[in-house]
Amino acid sequence: MKIIRNEKLKTLKGKKKIQYIWDYYKLPLVILGILLYIFGYISYNRFSYKDTILYMALVNVNAGETLTKELSTDFLDYQNLNPSKNKLELYTGLYLTDNEQSDYYPYTYASRIKILATIDGKLLDVVLMNKEAFDAFSQNGYLYDLEELLCQTDSLLYHTVQSDLATNIFILEDNAAECQLDPSVSYYALTEEHYYGMDLSRTEFIGSAGFKEPVYLGIIANSPHVDTAIAYIKYLFSKTIY
């Protein structure tokens, strides 16, 4: 039967030959196509995979092309890491604001969901943010106490950036939910104050970028890349403007 098919195949030309091959070899061809796709997919992932050394987010901070490069890919050069095998994941376009008149207010809900998801999934290590976002991250307990962290891990770096550390509060307990239900209830909160952030105004990257308000750095409390986050602080302060 196979010999007869092969002989008939030799007599056919053009579309008839293609149709004949498809009619009689459809299943093997489909299986072969699936196997080739799987092999190609695995090979592509294997050779294009990059190790994420740090997850960063810009919240209420807009960076141009030059600053984005300085904050991301240039750090790989500083660490002597191959950019074809390593990457710094930078989340942009994130905004947190309670000001309904702000142009960014419509993006707040989606940004909050993404931020919570990345923190929960341990896919966020370092945040660069304005004061409003710094308040939100601090009050919800998302940030490391940088004074405590640096004193324990790198005392030399701590003394270098001590004057740049910024305090903020963590809300241990409050009655915000009760106030929403009854506006006549007075708000109260039990808080703690710690050095949850770092003012980057003294760094060349941020200080020369023309921001109208301070940009703060915070390290997420459940960060899986704390050592790299500390190395990133060293990178930022490797060039200062005063």
Side-chain angles (χ1 to χ4, degrees):
M1 189 64 153
K2 184 177 181 181
I3 296 175
I4 295 175
R5 287 182 180 176
N6 290 340
E7 290 297 324
K8 185 174 182 180
L9 182 61
K10 292 178 182 179
T11 64
L12 297 175
K13 296 181 180 180
K15 293 182 179 180
K16 291 184 178 180
K17 189 171 187 176
I18 295 174
Q19 186 62 47
Y20 184 83
I21 293 174
W22 178 249
D23 290 340
Y24 285 95
Y25 299 98
K26 183 187 301 181
L27 182 59
L29 287 173
V30 170
I31 294 174
L32 178 62
I34 293 172
L35 291 175
L36 288 174
Y37 172 80
I38 293 174
F39 176 77
Y41 180 80
I42 294 174
S43 298
Y44 174 80
N45 285 337
R46 179 180 179 183
F47 291 108
S48 64
Y49 174 78
K50 293 184 180 183
D51 183 32
T52 303
I53 64 165
L54 196 69
Y55 293 95
M56 277 187 57
L58 302 182
V59 183
N60 293 1
V61 172
N62 293 313
E65 183 178 345
T66 299
L67 181 57
T68 297
K69 180 176 179 295
E70 291 171 341
L71 295 176
S72 54
T73 55
D74 284 2
F75 177 60
L76 299 179
D77 294 335
Y78 176 81
Q79 291 287 89
N80 294 316
L81 294 173
N82 187 342
S84 66
K85 296 182 179 180
N86 302 275
K87 67 176 180 177
L88 183 153
E89 187 72 46
L90 181 62
Y91 306 119
T92 60
L94 298 173
Y95 303 97
L96 296 176
T97 180
D98 292 326
N99 180 9
E100 297 183 7
Q101 304 304 316
S102 170
D103 293 338
Y104 302 119
Y105 184 76
Y107 306 102
T108 295
Y109 179 76
S111 296
R112 184 178 290 112
I113 295 299
K114 183 171 183 177
I115 290 168
L116 291 175
T118 54
I119 292 176
D120 187 59
K122 294 187 177 181
L123 297 174
L124 186 56
D125 303 297
V126 174
V127 186
L128 269 57
M129 54 203 157
N130 73 346
K131 182 61 166 61
E132 186 174 14
F134 179 32
D135 291 343
F137 274 85
S138 299
Q139 291 169 13
N140 285 283
Y142 295 147
L143 301 175
Y144 262 113
D145 180 333
L146 293 182
E147 180 179 56
E148 180 180 339
L149 176 64
L150 295 180
C151 283
Q152 293 177 351
T153 59
D154 196 320
S155 58
L156 181 60
L157 178 60
Y158 168 70
H159 290 296
T160 301
V161 302
Q162 184 177 5
S163 62
D164 305 288
L165 296 179
T167 60
N168 214 318
I169 62 170
F170 166 44
I171 299 177
L172 298 171
E173 179 184 341
D174 70 1
N175 66 336
E178 187 178 348
C179 290
Q180 288 180 346
L181 295 174
D182 185 356
S184 66
V185 175
S186 299
Y187 176 76
Y188 80 88
L190 178 63
T191 65
E192 286 184 350
E193 188 175 70
H194 296 277
Y195 288 95
Y196 288 123
M198 179 180 296
D199 187 344
L200 299 179
S201 300
R202 197 162 61 90
T203 67
E204 182 177 310
F205 303 122
I206 300 300
S208 60
F211 290 105
K212 295 181 179 179
E213 59 179 330
V215 174
Y216 298 92
L217 176 146
I219 298 179
I220 300 299
N222 69 344
S223 164
H225 303 114
V226 174
D227 290 343
T228 308
I230 292 174
Y232 190 77
I233 294 174
K234 291 181 180 179
Y235 163 69
L236 293 178
F237 280 88
S238 63
K239 295 182 179 180
T240 58
I241 56 177
Y242 59 88

